[in-house]
Amino acid sequence: MPENSFVDPQVQQLLTDMALFPEMNPGPVCRIDRSGKILLANTAAKNLFGKFQLVGLSWFDLCPGIDSALWKKIMDAGHLYPVEAQIGNVWMHFAHVTNASREYVFVYGTDITANKEAERMLAEQARTISEIARFPDMNPGPVLRLDLEGTIILSNAAASDIFGSDLSGKCWKDVCPGIDDGKWEEIKGSNALIPVEALVGETTFLFNHRRDLKTDLVFVFGTDITANKLAEAKLIEQAKTIAEIARFPDMNPGPVLRLDLDGFVLLSNVAATKVFGEDLNGRKWLDICEGMNTTIWNGILHATDVVPFEVHIGERDFVFQHRRDFETDLVFVFGTDVTLQKRAELGLRQSEKLATLGTLAAGIAHELNNPAAAMRRASLHLRKALANLERTTEAKSAHVYTPEQLTILSELTDLIEHGTQHPITLPMIRCSELEGEIDDWLAENKISDAGDLSPIIVRAGLRLEHLTKLTSTLDPDAVSDTVKWLAALATVSESVSEIGEGSKRISDIVSAVKGYSYLDQAPIQDVDINKGIENTLMVMHHKLGEKVAVHKDFGELPLVTAYGTELNQAWTSIIDNAAYALQGSGELRIRTYFEDNHAVVEIEDNGPGIPSEIQSRIYDPFFTTKPPGMGAGLGLTTSYRIITEQHHGMIAVLSNPGLTKFTIRLPMDGVK
């Protein structure tokens, strides 16, 4: 019979069943002694800790958070002592229970992972709710919640700062300017966003209202739009200014165009369409503007200053000022109708031409008067000289001359003819000496009227040796008649020479005037520049005067296709200014030469010069430094137009005290 056979079988069964309780527990169960060593552990405990055998292991090593101090508290507690610990990914609640004798501690574990997750989620929800609750106060703008009557239920700090504290219970219609009954009915009658602008003090707000149909609440979100309103006002003002600026071209009475760098019209005003026709946009300026070419356009593109261009359109004249904007790579064109100005300038130019013509005519008359008067005097003298020659010839014929004597007489008559046709100007003292020698010789030979005869003999080129050679072979009675005949012959020859010189001078003047004016010739022709300047100097001789030394250095120039009359007008204006500067005394130098397919003319004087401060204005219309009545200020303006516009040449001036030089360059094919 077994040792415990005396135990009641029911009790034995009960003990067996109780021994199975730990194993049947779905959670871990352990029995631990006072030192913390595991004495018993069920399968669930082994599975939890991943150990095949737990008996003998320390609970301190297995359960996180259990140390000697906590273990002492558990042993001393005398009641259930809970400890939560995370084993891997599992959260466990370990209930520690000591027995009555406190020899053992029974540990019962429960898996609370799901509880922990629920707690985490609840905490996360609470944090989210807290953050959401902070949204209104974190909003820099006013936020309010209203009921359908418009009563304020909730408001944030920003709303209180704007409208004052204690907003709750107040009516939104009384608080917010601009909210009336009609607007409120619109807000609560729709779930759409309803914006309302309101001026609160000096600040403008935009309040967006939206009704929540689920809660029957109205939410209001305000935004400070003061800066936006100021910006809007500024934009409106700018738009107004831009609109006004945009009106500038059309308000301009002259044509205004905006072009790209290829010359295509991008914009044109009303005046431009009236001049060039409709639909200008997209058309090329070089095709529209007569006379505009690639060379001029390239000059405009590279210029930093305004480039003017004059053109005749229909019956009107325009000046188009071109300026390139290097920031936008656009070319702006501003046109001015200068028709009336041109007519006025033409009238003044005609007046100046007439005035110049009058001055030239007076000068030419003066130039013609001198040789004409000399011819008249010579003709009157010739009448007397011929009568005297007739008398002396009759007296001379009473004598008989040998062949040798006749040869000498022939030589002397030739000498007289040459001397009177090509007179030599001698110093006055030398003339007096020669006349004195002749006077003495005439007196020695008892020839009367020695004082009248000696000057004409000397002027004719006869000298004392000529007379002594003749008279040494003559009979003494024939000397007086022969010498008087020679003197009479010299007088006649001298008078004839004076008449010939005078008529030649008149012929030269007439020829110069005819050449100067290009009378009976076409406007455009092949012009001899050197001859044109010579003719100009001829007709300007009276202006320059005898004390102005003219130095000419004319190079070999080919004929230039040009407006001859106009070029002479340009030379006249420049030389006239030089004459005025020289004031009757000084030097005028004119040099011509050929260079780079251009005829170059330099006109230089040694007058006082042009002040530097006015040099940039000398080509301006009506600008003059001459006293009133001496010039209209169009001479150099006209010269500039003739040289640059009519002949596509260049004119430049260099001036300092004692030197003023105009340089004119004329292309060979400037006029076509």
Side-chain angles (χ1 to χ4, degrees):
M1 184 173 188
E3 183 180 5
N4 57 353
S5 59
F6 65 89
V7 178
D8 187 339
Q10 292 183 345
V11 173
Q12 183 70 32
Q13 184 63 44
L14 178 61
L15 291 173
T16 300
D17 293 341
M18 289 180 64
L20 291 173
F21 264 111
E23 195 63 38
M24 297 300 291
N25 197 317
V29 177
C30 297
R31 188 177 69 179
I32 307 169
D33 66 13
R34 291 181 63 84
S35 65
K37 185 181 295 185
I38 299 173
L39 300 176
L40 181 146
N42 69 350
T43 301
K46 295 175 184 178
N47 292 335
L48 174 65
F49 292 107
K51 302 288 186 179
F52 178 74
Q53 183 60 261
L54 293 179
V55 175
L57 299 179
S58 174
W59 182 242
F60 298 170
D61 297 333
L62 292 175
C63 184
I66 299 295
D67 55 17
S68 57
L70 181 58
W71 186 252
K72 184 177 185 306
K73 289 181 180 180
I74 293 171
M75 294 301 297
D76 294 342
H79 55 75
L80 186 145
Y81 198 101
V83 174
E84 291 184 2
Q86 187 175 9
I87 311 299
N89 293 326
V90 180
W91 276 95
M92 297 299 296
H93 178 276
F94 292 109
H96 297 71
V97 182
T98 58
N99 66 350
S101 62
R102 297 186 182 178
E103 291 295 328
Y104 307 105
V105 175
F106 294 92
V107 179
Y108 302 92
T110 304
D111 186 345
I112 61 170
T113 303
N115 298 27
K116 280 292 186 179
E117 181 63 22
E119 288 178 5
R120 187 194 64 76
M121 291 181 64
L122 286 172
E124 184 68 27
Q125 287 177 352
R127 186 167 60 255
T128 301
I129 291 170
S130 175
E131 290 175 355
I132 292 173
R134 290 283 297 159
F135 262 104
D137 278 333
M138 295 303 291
N139 196 316
V143 177
L144 303 98
R145 189 172 64 191
L146 319 173
D147 63 17
L148 294 182
E149 299 301 321
T151 303
I152 298 173
I153 299 172
L154 180 144
S155 60
N156 68 346
S160 299
D161 291 340
I162 295 168
F163 297 109
S165 57
D166 301 327
L167 285 176
S168 296
K170 291 184 178 180
C171 183
W172 180 236
K173 292 184 288 185
D174 299 332
V175 173
C176 180
I179 300 292
D180 54 19
D181 292 338
K183 180 58 71 175
W184 183 251
E185 289 299 323
E186 179 186 353
I187 291 169
K188 73 177 185 177
S190 170
N191 66 340
L193 195 68
I194 307 296
V196 175
E197 286 189 14
L199 182 64
V200 182
E202 296 181 354
T203 307
T204 303
F205 288 91
L206 177 66
F207 291 104
N208 285 305
H209 299 72
R210 171 165 276 167
R211 176 183 174 181
D212 181 11
L213 297 178
K214 292 181 179 180
T215 60
D216 277 342
L217 295 174
V218 176
F219 293 88
V220 182
F221 301 90
T223 304
D224 185 346
I225 60 170
T226 306
N228 298 32
K229 296 300 284 187
L230 292 174
E232 284 179 12
K234 189 173 183 179
L235 285 173
I236 291 172
E237 186 64 28
Q238 287 178 345
K240 183 180 177 182
T241 302
I242 291 171
E244 291 174 354
I245 292 173
R247 289 286 295 158
F248 263 100
D250 278 335
M251 297 303 291
N252 195 315
V256 177
L257 303 99
R258 188 174 66 192
L259 318 175
D260 64 16
L261 296 187
D262 294 323
F264 287 100
V265 178
L266 303 177
L267 181 146
S268 58
N269 69 344
V270 174
T273 60
K274 290 182 178 179
V275 174
F276 297 105
E278 301 290 339
D279 300 326
L280 284 177
N281 290 1
R283 295 175 64 187
K284 198 163 187 177
W285 182 236
L286 276 70
D287 299 331
I288 298 170
C289 184
E290 185 177 350
M292 178 63 64
N293 56 43
T294 304
T295 302
I296 299 172
W297 179 251
N298 288 334
I300 292 169
L301 295 183
H302 290 88
T304 55
D305 295 326
V306 174
V307 178
F309 183 74
E310 189 171 327
V311 62
H312 186 75
I313 302 172
E315 297 181 353
R316 291 187 290 172
D317 293 296
F318 288 88
V319 173
F320 290 100
Q321 307 284 352
H322 299 74
R323 167 164 275 169
R324 176 180 175 179
D325 180 7
F326 286 88
E327 292 185 6
T328 60
D329 274 342
L330 295 172
V331 177
F332 294 87
V333 182
F334 302 90
T336 304
D337 187 340
V338 295
T339 305
L340 295 179
Q341 179 182 335
K342 282 289 182 181
R343 290 175 181 171
E345 287 180 9
L346 180 61
L348 286 171
R349 281 199 298 270
Q350 293 296 336
S351 297
E352 181 154 302
K353 276 186 178 181
L354 290 174
T356 302
L357 182 61
T359 303
L360 292 177
I364 292 168
H366 177 75
E367 291 294 318
L368 290 173
N369 182 65
N370 289 336
M375 289 173 63
R376 178 175 176 75
R377 288 194 302 271
S379 65
L380 293 175
H381 194 202
L382 179 61
R383 186 186 300 276
K384 296 179 181 179
L386 287 173
N388 186 39
L389 178 61
E390 184 178 358
R391 288 194 300 273
T392 57
T393 300
E394 184 178 351
K396 169 180 168 292
S397 62
H399 305 284
V400 178
Y401 296 92
T402 66
E404 180 185 359
Q405 293 170 343
L406 290 174
T407 299
I408 295 173
L409 281 175
S410 178
E411 291 175 354
L412 291 180
T413 56
D414 290 342
L415 187 62
I416 289 170
E417 183 179 359
H418 182 272
T420 53
Q421 289 182 358
H422 307 284
I424 298 175
T425 303
L426 297 173
M428 187 177 296
I429 294 176
R430 179 59 179 159
C431 284
S432 297
E433 290 176 352
L434 293 174
E435 290 176 7
E437 292 177 356
I438 299 297
D439 282 341
D440 293 341
W441 184 85
L442 293 173
E444 289 176 3
N445 288 275
K446 297 181 176 52
I447 299 174
S448 61
D449 301 324
D452 295 331
L453 297 178
S454 60
I456 185 61
I457 292 173
V458 171
R459 289 200 304 271
L462 297 180
R463 299 293 180 263
L464 183 61
E465 59 268 21
H466 299 137
L467 297 178
T468 55
K469 180 180 178 181
L470 172 66
T471 56
S472 63
T473 63
L474 289 177
D475 183 73
D477 295 336
V479 170
S480 177
D481 292 336
T482 303
V483 170
K484 288 183 178 180
W485 175 79
L486 288 172
L489 181 63
T491 302
V492 170
S493 181
E494 185 179 55
S495 297
V496 171
S497 294
E498 287 180 1
I499 293 172
E501 183 64 28
S503 62
K504 182 179 182 300
R505 176 64 178 166
I506 291 173
S507 177
D508 290 343
I509 292 172
V510 171
S511 177
V513 171
K514 186 176 180 181
Y516 176 84
S517 62
Y518 287 91
L519 189 64
D520 300 328
Q521 297 184 47
I524 300 177
Q525 55 193 283
D526 292 335
V527 174
D528 184 340
I529 299 293
N530 291 339
K531 188 170 183 181
I533 296 174
E534 284 278 18
N535 291 335
T536 302
L537 288 172
M538 176 74 76
V539 299
M540 291 289 293
H541 181 265
H542 69 288
K543 269 294 192 75
L544 293 169
E546 298 297 333
K547 293 184 179 180
V548 173
V550 179
H551 304 281
K552 294 174 287 186
D553 181 10
F554 290 168
E556 186 174 344
L557 295 178
L559 297 179
V560 178
T561 304
Y563 294 91
T565 303
E566 281 76 1
L567 276 184
N568 284 347
Q569 186 180 354
W571 311 141
T572 300
S573 296
I574 297 172
I575 293 173
D576 182 67
N577 282 341
Y580 177 78
L582 293 173
Q583 292 292 303
S585 176
E587 293 184 350
L588 177 68
R589 297 181 181 275
I590 302 177
R591 177 175 177 239
T592 65
Y593 55 93
F594 187 72
E595 181 182 77
D596 296 335
N597 204 37
H598 283 71
V600 183
V601 179
E602 295 177 354
I603 301 175
E604 175 185 327
D605 69 72
N606 64 343
I610 304 170
S612 58
E613 61 270 15
I614 66 170
Q615 287 184 21
S616 62
R617 300 179 59 196
I618 60 174
Y619 303 118
D620 291 350
F622 314 115
F623 179 78
T624 181
T625 57
K626 297 177 181 178
M630 293 194 65
L634 288 174
L636 287 180
T637 303
T638 303
S639 299
Y640 182 88
R641 180 185 58 80
I642 291 170
I643 293 166
T644 62
E645 295 178 18
Q646 283 191 317
H647 296 87
H648 300 102
M650 294 175 61
I651 180 171
V653 63
L654 172 66
S655 184
N656 295 300
L659 170 67
T660 297
K661 180 168 71 174
F662 283 87
T663 302
I664 298 94
R665 300 177 64 87
L666 296 171
M668 292 295 99
D669 55 353
V671 178
K672 294 183 179 180

